[in-house]
Amino acid sequence: WIRSYCMSLRPLGMEPPPERELLCIFGTGDLGRSLGQRLLQTGYRVVYGSRRPHSCGPLPPGAQVMSHTEAAQLAAVVIVCVHREHYDFMEEVAPQLKGKVLVDVSNNSKKGLYPESNAEFLQSLIPAASVVKAFNTVSAWSLQNGPSDAHRQVFLCGDKAEAKQAVRELATRLGLSVLDRGSLSAAREVEDFPLQLFPEWRLPLCIATGLTAFFFFYLLIRDVIYAYVEQDKDISFRIMVSLANKVFPIVSLIMLSLCYLPGVMAAILQLYRGTKYRRFPDWLDHWMLCRKQLGLLALGFAFLHVLYTLLIPIRYYVRYKVTAHTVLQIRENKTAVFDTTSAWRTDSYFSVGILGFALYVLLGITSLPSVSNALSWREFSFVQSKLGHLTLLLCTLHTYLYGWNKFLRPSTYKWCTPPGYMLCLVVPSVVLVLKLLMVLPCVDRSLGRIRQGWERTGPEGEGTKPLMA
């Protein structure tokens, strides 16, 4: 009687907590262990299938391990963390995998290694199962460090909607975002993603490398080789700091202007066509997509220019020149006359450069995803477009003040070649002039109407109609 009385003290209507969902993982390597640990932390139960259940190494606490056949019978979702060359056991456990969801996370060492994707090959081995490609772009390291440090996006593809939905819910509970790439035929493209090495940075890096190499050798010929041939002076020591400090700002300014040149070209093309509904050429599309990378590389070169400039006062060559000049003035009992014009020029040169670099840094900060996501589109556009063009204007003016009136001196053109800073002013000057024409009221009004959906359908601009409300 006492026992039955005590059991009746349990509140009525309280049900035992539901049993946690069980997932199976084939493979006990780095990715399998890291994924299992995250699944356990999220609230799943995990069972591992291994060829050697009793000697597979350390596993996350709370996980079970057994043979492939035994583990496959327990779960409806099986995550295959095994390389393709070890798929030979899959045919043996095919009866236990019938009707289940197989998540293929494998990658290859290089593109085109096999005639079909790993996921399609796995589907051909187990036709009665539903294969989904997912998690192949997430590393074991990122899974161990949590979603805040991980690559959050998961690409997913498969032929069965129910199977993809199950994997989508699994990835969402892990704190990852899912991008559906369609059917299983897209698995080859998904498997190639981890093999790409900075795909969006290739063109910017090629441009930066080409510009750096060109101007380095160009200035090497004009400054160092010219002095050795014509004046019999060995100033090769200036390569390390002086020459580098000329190359870096030149490349930085050109690459900054290349960030805004495609936008101006796109606007001119839209004005010429009279519509925004025609695709830009592929080269212009690709150019516009890598403007962020161009800008970040330009900011990197600007940082190097600032650091090298800060080194100038402590260089041996500069200290030697200042000391020698001071001693010479003392010996000749002379005092240099203060030049107000030079003072204005140098102060303006430094001031404009500092302001330009400050805006440069602001552009780089707002391009970070954590910052840009906190801005509205209007705020982001104002910073990247309006302040971006102001940055280009200040940096161009900084270079003009550096040159001042040197272009009038015949000694400036060594071997009939212009100095490097004159060459680098061509592209930004063209961009600024074209942008100035774009903001003229008549041009800006026409461009605004085109970007709102207006089209010029007639040969002479008549018969216009809006395509979008």
Side-chain angles (χ1 to χ4, degrees), residues 276-277 449 451-454 465-469:
K276 71 171 185 177
Y277 297 105
R449 293 179 62 193
R451 290 177 174 175
Q452 291 176 0
W454 177 87
K465 63 176 181 179
L467 291 185
M468 298 180 64

Side-chain angles (χ1 to χ4, degrees), residues 309 343-356 398 401:
T309 302
W344 267 102
R345 181 181 71 86
T346 54
D347 284 3
S348 302
Y349 164 73
F350 286 118
S351 177
V352 171
I354 292 172
L355 292 175
H398 175 70
L401 289 172

Side-chain angles (χ1 to χ4, degrees), residues 276 443-455 464:
K276 71 171 185 177
V443 180
D444 184 63
R445 191 183 309 113
S446 299
L447 186 60
R449 293 179 62 193
I450 290 173
R451 290 177 174 175
Q452 291 176 0
W454 177 87
E455 276 195 305
T464 59

Side-chain angles (χ1 to χ4, degrees), residues 61-76:
Q64 296 176 285
V65 59
M66 54 189 67
S67 66
H68 292 119
T69 302
E70 294 173 330
Q73 295 175 344
L74 300 178

Side-chain angles (χ1 to χ4, degrees), residues 273-388:
R273 293 173 172 176
T275 179
K276 71 171 185 177
Y277 297 105
R278 291 179 59 185
R279 285 182 56 85
F280 296 128
D282 291 339
W283 59 269
L284 185 56
D285 264 337
H286 187 49
W287 189 354
M288 296 182 71
L289 289 175
C290 67
R291 287 180 293 179
K292 174 182 176 180
Q293 289 74 21
L294 284 170
L296 291 177
L297 285 175
L299 178 60
F301 280 99
F303 263 111
L304 290 175
H305 173 50
V306 171
L307 293 176
Y308 272 76
T309 302
L310 294 176
L311 288 176
I312 290 177
I314 62 175
R315 290 177 60 203
Y316 169 77
Y317 171 72
V318 174
R319 290 186 284 113
Y320 173 81
K321 293 285 289 185
V322 171
T323 304
H325 179 69
T326 304
V327 171
L328 180 62
Q329 284 190 324
I330 294 174
R331 287 179 177 178
E332 297 180 355
N333 195 21
K334 292 182 179 180
T335 302
V337 180
F338 182 79
D339 189 353
T340 306
T341 303
S342 298
W344 267 102
R345 181 181 71 86
T346 54
D347 284 3
S348 302
Y349 164 73
F350 286 118
S351 177
V352 171
I354 292 172
L355 292 175
F357 181 70
L359 291 178
Y360 226 141
V361 174
L362 179 62
L363 293 177
I365 293 175
T366 53
S367 67
L368 298 175
S370 58
V371 179
S372 60
N373 292 338
L375 301 176
S376 66
W377 169 248
R378 186 175 182 182
E379 294 168 341
F380 181 78
S381 177
F382 172 79
V383 173
Q384 294 294 326
S385 181
K386 302 295 190 302
L387 294 186

Side-chain angles (χ1 to χ4, degrees), residues 219 222-223 238 242 245-246 312 341-342 345-346 349-350 398-414 417-423 425:
L219 294 176
R222 288 194 78 258
D223 296 350
R238 303 188 65 179
S242 298
N245 200 29
K246 290 183 179 181
I312 290 177
T341 303
S342 298
R345 181 181 71 86
T346 54
Y349 164 73
F350 286 118
H398 175 70
T399 309
Y400 272 110
L401 289 172
Y402 171 78
W404 196 243
N405 60 351
K406 295 178 183 177
F407 69 95
L408 298 176
R409 304 173 186 172
S411 59
T412 302
Y413 303 91
K414 301 174 182 177
T417 58
Y421 70 86
M422 286 188 184
L423 293 179
L425 285 170

Side-chain angles (χ1 to χ4, degrees), residues 144-296:
Q144 292 174 1
N145 286 272
S148 60
D149 296 330
H151 177 65
R152 298 179 61 90
Q153 194 170 58
V154 173
F155 298 100
L156 178 147
C157 63
D159 293 333
K160 299 291 182 63
E162 298 82 2
K164 290 199 293 184
Q165 181 61 28
V167 179
R168 179 189 297 274
E169 293 176 359
L170 172 62
T172 302
R173 290 187 62 179
L174 290 177
L176 304 171
S177 61
V178 179
L179 179 62
D180 195 333
R181 303 291 295 188
S183 65
L184 201 62
S185 60
R188 176 179 289 276
E189 181 184 3
V190 174
E191 291 174 1
D192 287 342
F193 287 156
L195 300 177
Q196 299 176 355
L197 183 63
F198 303 116
E200 297 176 349
W201 289 83
R202 290 180 182 175
L203 179 60
L205 285 173
C206 289
I207 294 175
T209 303
L211 289 174
T212 302
F214 171 79
F215 280 102
F216 175 80
F217 289 107
Y218 182 80
L219 294 176
L220 180 67
I221 295 172
R222 288 194 78 258
D223 296 350
V224 179
I225 297 179
Y226 176 85
Y228 184 78
V229 174
E230 299 292 337
Q231 303 171 357
D232 197 22
K233 292 182 180 179
D234 182 12
I235 58 171
S236 57
F237 65 90
R238 303 188 65 179
I239 294 176
M240 301 304 297
V241 176
S242 298
L243 197 63
N245 200 29
K246 290 183 179 181
V247 173
F248 293 146
I250 289 174
V251 176
S252 177
L253 182 57
I254 293 178
M255 295 193 67
L256 178 63
S257 61
L258 291 179
C259 294
Y260 296 98
L261 181 57
V264 176
M265 296 175 66
I268 294 175
L269 199 58
Q270 288 178 337
L271 287 171
Y272 174 75
R273 293 173 172 176
T275 179
K276 71 171 185 177
Y277 297 105
R278 291 179 59 185
R279 285 182 56 85
F280 296 128
D282 291 339
W283 59 269
L284 185 56
D285 264 337
H286 187 49
W287 189 354
M288 296 182 71
L289 289 175
C290 67
R291 287 180 293 179
K292 174 182 176 180
Q293 289 74 21
L294 284 170
L296 291 177

